[in-house]
Amino acid sequence: MLTPDQVTALEIYLAHLRLNIDPMLAQKYPTFAGKPYPLGRCKEVRNAIHHALKAALAKPQVDVALQPLKALLDTGLTLEPVWGSLRDEYFQNALLVGPWYIDAANDTVNPNKPRAEIRLLAESGFGAITSFEQFIKIARSYWEVDIYRNDIFPALAPFIPLVCVNKAGVSWFAAANDDMILVALDSAFELVEQVLPSLSSPPCELTEKWHRAALRVDMPSPLLKAQTRDATAMCRHYRNEGKHQDIGFRDEVVLAYLSLPVNV
């Protein structure tokens, strides 16, 4: 376990790391949804800190502040990047090592907060997102979006079932990350099928906009073409076909999604 003094020293170390990496990240990611860096950039900050920590921990002489962390890792624990929910208020990217939650992007929602925070995981309010209802609840308030079911590309919907639209009318598909795709797969698409009836179909003009975007894709996947089944029926069809156990098909779906614009 880390002592309070060790936690404070590590938080200070992480804050200094941020001072080194922030100028580079701010130049690369100056804004997010119209908000200045670091707002909304928790993933990018977490990834940069993770990379910097691994490099620092691999040095022959490890900084004094890092020695307690290295001691934990020397017991066989790992420094794992994680994504999930923070108190069901925010999506959060953090690092976990054993019982410890390390947030080196603590200021990416409120810039007045300290850059780094370390807490026991059990006291942090961080946890996995285990349903699409939970994801939607967070996304609606955190991203300030309307959310529709993915009737635009039904063949993608069992894996990526949601369409988000922000106040500016910009839309994108969700939840297009490994964690939420795994929620879909582990439930054999039942959790997707469960949430779809609670959502409205997207407006016709939005569907048409995405279909036009798909027409501009070089060698578009058949998964982006018109389907005879709707999103709910696709969940049942894929389950009957065992697609939740087919990693190759999962990759095909992801590649089809990645061929589309990030947003329209």
Side-chain angles (χ1 to χ4, degrees):
M1 294 291 285
L2 302 176
T3 68
D5 286 346
Q6 289 171 337
V7 167
T8 299
L10 185 52
E11 287 176 336
I12 292 171
Y13 180 90
L14 292 172
H16 281 291
L17 268 188
R18 283 286 306 277
L19 291 176
N20 291 331
I21 69 171
D22 278 348
M24 175 192 66
L25 291 179
Q27 184 175 16
K28 189 174 183 180
Y29 307 107
T31 62
F32 179 82
K35 299 175 183 178
Y37 178 88
L39 296 177
R41 292 298 182 182
C42 58
K43 180 179 180 180
E44 291 80 6
V45 171
R46 189 277 314 275
N47 288 349
I49 288 291
H50 187 215
H51 179 77
L53 276 177
K54 287 194 295 183
L57 288 163
K59 292 180 179 179
Q61 292 293 325
V62 174
D63 190 282
V64 172
L66 284 183
Q67 288 176 5
L69 176 59
K70 187 175 187 305
L72 289 175
L73 298 174
D74 287 344
T75 68
L77 297 176
T78 55
L79 187 64
E80 293 290 338
V82 292
W83 173 87
S85 160
L86 188 62
R87 299 184 299 274
D88 274 1
E89 296 175 11
Y90 315 114
F91 298 120
Q92 179 69 308
N93 290 273
L95 297 169
L96 296 185
V97 56
W100 293 98
Y101 164 87
I102 301 174
D103 180 7
N106 193 47
D107 58 340
T108 56
V109 173
N110 180 350
N112 296 315
K113 285 188 174 183
R115 287 182 171 88
E117 179 183 66
I118 300 171
R119 304 185 68 176
L120 285 167
L121 177 60
E123 300 171 358
S124 68
F126 178 84
I129 296 176
T130 58
S131 73
F132 289 93
E133 287 85 354
Q134 183 185 9
F135 180 96
I136 289 167
K137 176 179 180 289
I138 300 168
R140 279 178 170 152
S141 60
Y142 183 34
W143 290 344
E144 299 180 337
V145 293
D146 294 323
I147 299 180
Y148 303 94
R149 67 175 178 263
N150 182 7
D151 288 337
I152 298 173
F153 299 113
L156 305 187
F159 292 80
I160 306 171
L162 311 176
V163 184
C164 299
V165 184
N166 69 14
K167 292 180 179 179
V170 177
S171 63
W172 62 92
F173 292 99
N177 61 43
D178 289 341
D179 298 81
M180 293 309 298
I181 289 176
L182 191 60
V183 170
L185 294 176
D186 282 351
S187 70
F189 309 115
E190 288 183 356
L191 292 183
V192 177
E193 187 177 352
Q194 173 182 295
V195 77
L196 290 175
S198 69
L199 301 169
S200 300
S201 189
C204 291
E205 58 269 24
L206 181 60
T207 298
E208 291 168 1
K209 189 185 295 186
W210 276 104
H211 285 172
R212 288 195 298 271
L215 290 174
R216 295 192 291 271
V217 173
D218 290 334
M219 299 179 65
S221 166
L223 297 173
L224 300 179
K225 297 181 180 178
Q227 304 292 326
T228 57
R229 298 178 178 89
D230 63 16
T232 300
M234 274 295 185
C235 290
R236 299 177 189 136
H237 175 60
Y238 283 175
R239 182 162 56 250
N240 292 337
E241 293 287 315
K243 298 297 188 185
H244 56 292
Q245 298 173 321
D246 187 339
I247 296 301
F249 186 71
R250 180 252 188 218
D251 292 346
E252 186 180 341
V253 169
V254 171
L255 287 173
Y257 159 73
L258 291 174
S259 73
L260 294 166
V262 173
N263 54 56
V264 301

